[in-house]
Amino acid sequence: MARGKEAGLATALALTVVAVAMIAAPGVATGKSKLFLSGPINLPIPNNAPTGVFSAIGVGKKGTVKDVDVAVRISHPNVSQLNLYLFKGEKYVALARNVGGERNDFGSGTADCAGTFTVFDGAAPTFIQTGSAPFNGAYRPAESLAQFNGDGSKGTWRLFAYDQAGGTSGLVNCWALGLDYKKKKK
């Protein structure tokens, strides 16, 4: 990746970094917060296909999950057709289901990692169900991401998006996984 693109990506994900930093417990020597990025993927979401599309981020860090945040940048002309989930192994949590009405996008700006993200954070003051597209900023997900707390951090985390209606389609432009975890002792 070119240096200019790296700098642009880092700047564009400032909102995500802030959200991850907010979950970190200051002064906890055994805790660690880490941001894992998909990079720009522009992955097509199949139209009216319950099989949807998965995008994976591999985490090689061993630890016990204390908190999870997810940030997405998704381009779609009618986000109320979308359903988003976070998977780790067989466990999954609904991030958003049929929200936002006939409006555009999760996040805004350029349709890549340089745009503004929608951040799913259990500590956010607004539930995603009561927000409105383009969902800029932080929202509580449809289900609690705390269901991953206590699980191992290492492994493959997958964002799943499916479009439940015909007529329009979209792209998963970029996503990020923020983990606050307690490092395992060696």
Side-chain angles (χ1 to χ4, degrees):
M1 184 183 288
R3 264 200 153 359
K5 285 186 179 180
E6 273 181 23
L9 179 60
T11 302
L13 291 176
L15 178 60
T16 305
V17 172
V18 168
V20 173
M22 288 189 307
I23 64 170
V28 179
T30 59
K32 181 136 178 115
S33 291
K34 183 86 173 150
L35 183 65
F36 300 90
L37 308 170
S38 71
I41 53 176
N42 298 317
L43 188 63
I45 303 168
N47 198 8
N48 197 21
T51 53
V53 65
F54 281 99
S55 175
I57 291 178
V59 174
K61 307 289 183 184
K62 288 184 180 180
T64 303
V65 174
K66 293 169 42 183
D67 191 42
V68 177
D69 291 340
V70 177
V72 300
R73 176 64 184 99
I74 296 176
S75 302
H76 195 287
N78 187 347
V79 294
S80 68
Q81 295 177 357
L82 295 180
N83 293 273
L84 305 175
Y85 295 84
L86 179 65
F87 277 76
K88 171 120 185 323
E90 298 298 315
K91 187 182 280 188
Y92 63 91
V93 167
L95 300 173
R97 291 184 292 236
N98 313 110
V99 297
E102 293 181 17
R103 295 178 139 178
N104 299 345
D105 302 345
F106 282 96
S108 63
T110 60
D112 59 15
C113 295
T116 301
F117 285 74
T118 301
V119 178
F120 294 97
D121 179 350
T126 305
F127 286 95
I128 193 72
Q129 297 91 323
T130 60
S132 60
F135 299 107
N136 291 321
Y139 295 86
R140 284 190 192 181
E143 296 177 354
S144 176
L145 287 164
Q147 293 179 54
F148 293 112
N149 292 357
D151 292 353
S153 57
K154 186 176 180 176
T156 302
W157 295 76
R158 298 177 299 150
L159 177 71
F160 176 67
Y162 82 91
D163 182 334
Q164 70 178 28
T168 59
S169 61
L171 298 169
V172 176
N173 305 115
C174 186
W175 74 286
L177 175 70
L179 289 179
D180 185 15
Y181 59 95
K182 181 177 180 180
K183 292 193 279 185
K184 293 207 178 199
K185 296 184 184 207
K186 293 180 180 182

